[in-house]
Amino acid sequence: MGQGDPALERALLALQKREPASVAVALRFKDVDARRIFAGSDFTLMPSRFEPCVLSQMYAQKFGSLPIGYKTGGLADTIVDGKTGFLFEAPTNESFLGAVCRAFGAFGSRQRLNSMRIEAMATSFSWQNSVGKYQSLYGDVIARAA
């Protein structure tokens, strides 16, 4: 769902045409559809090469759809590799495919997949977590300055 690189859009549309029972592509964004996709999918692919807006992987996790993302910015901050999703290290096809293969490995073990889903769904993205970290940081800075 959404728009991106025109070549990738064409490739995804071609894949949808070949595999209509397994692949759906929407080159638009509608919030209600996005939530349905998260709720109905096992994985959410997020191969962003740079800092994305950092919401989709959180929504995916809350719905039990494990994100597969490039280890950058907010994706790296909010996905715990192998626990709440899968991260790949380099912005290459091989690295991305490696993460997808690891996800398929988890999919092959119902116990592991469900354990990861439970952990992802239980993850808190509350500001209370950040507030505590900032309070600790500022406390350390003040203590060192004194």
Side-chain angles (χ1 to χ4, degrees):
M1 172 168 280
Q3 293 180 301
D5 182 305
L8 292 176
E9 289 177 3
R10 286 190 299 275
L12 288 169
L13 288 169
L15 179 61
Q16 175 184 255
K17 192 172 183 176
R18 285 193 315 271
E19 301 291 338
S22 301
V23 177
V25 178
L27 300 179
R28 66 186 189 299
F29 181 82
K30 287 175 66 177
D31 189 55
V32 69
D33 290 342
R35 291 174 189 272
R36 287 178 178 150
I37 290 169
F38 292 135
S41 64
D42 295 305
F43 302 103
T44 299
L45 303 177
M46 304 196 67
S48 302
R49 293 183 192 120
F50 55 88
E51 172 72 51
C53 76
V54 191
L55 293 176
S56 294
Q57 78 280 9
M58 292 181 200
Y59 292 141
Q61 289 172 330
K62 287 299 178 190
F63 281 98
S65 177
L66 300 175
I68 301 171
Y70 173 48
K71 190 175 181 178
T72 186
L75 294 175
D77 293 339
T78 56
I79 299 170
V80 179
D81 188 46
K83 292 187 179 187
T84 63
F86 300 90
L87 292 170
F88 57 99
E89 296 284 332
T92 64
N93 293 341
E94 294 78 19
S95 187
F96 179 54
L97 182 59
V100 170
C101 288
R102 288 188 297 119
F104 284 173
F107 187 81
S109 168
R110 179 174 292 265
Q111 181 179 1
R112 179 164 180 236
L113 184 67
N114 286 340
S115 174
M116 289 181 71
R117 284 182 175 154
I118 289 167
E119 188 155 350
M121 293 170 78
T123 299
S124 173
F125 298 110
S126 165
W127 273 106
Q128 291 303 316
N129 297 333
S130 297
V131 167
K133 290 176 184 176
Y134 277 113
Q135 284 178 324
S136 178
L137 173 66
Y138 293 146
D140 289 347
V141 169
I142 291 169
R144 290 181 190 196

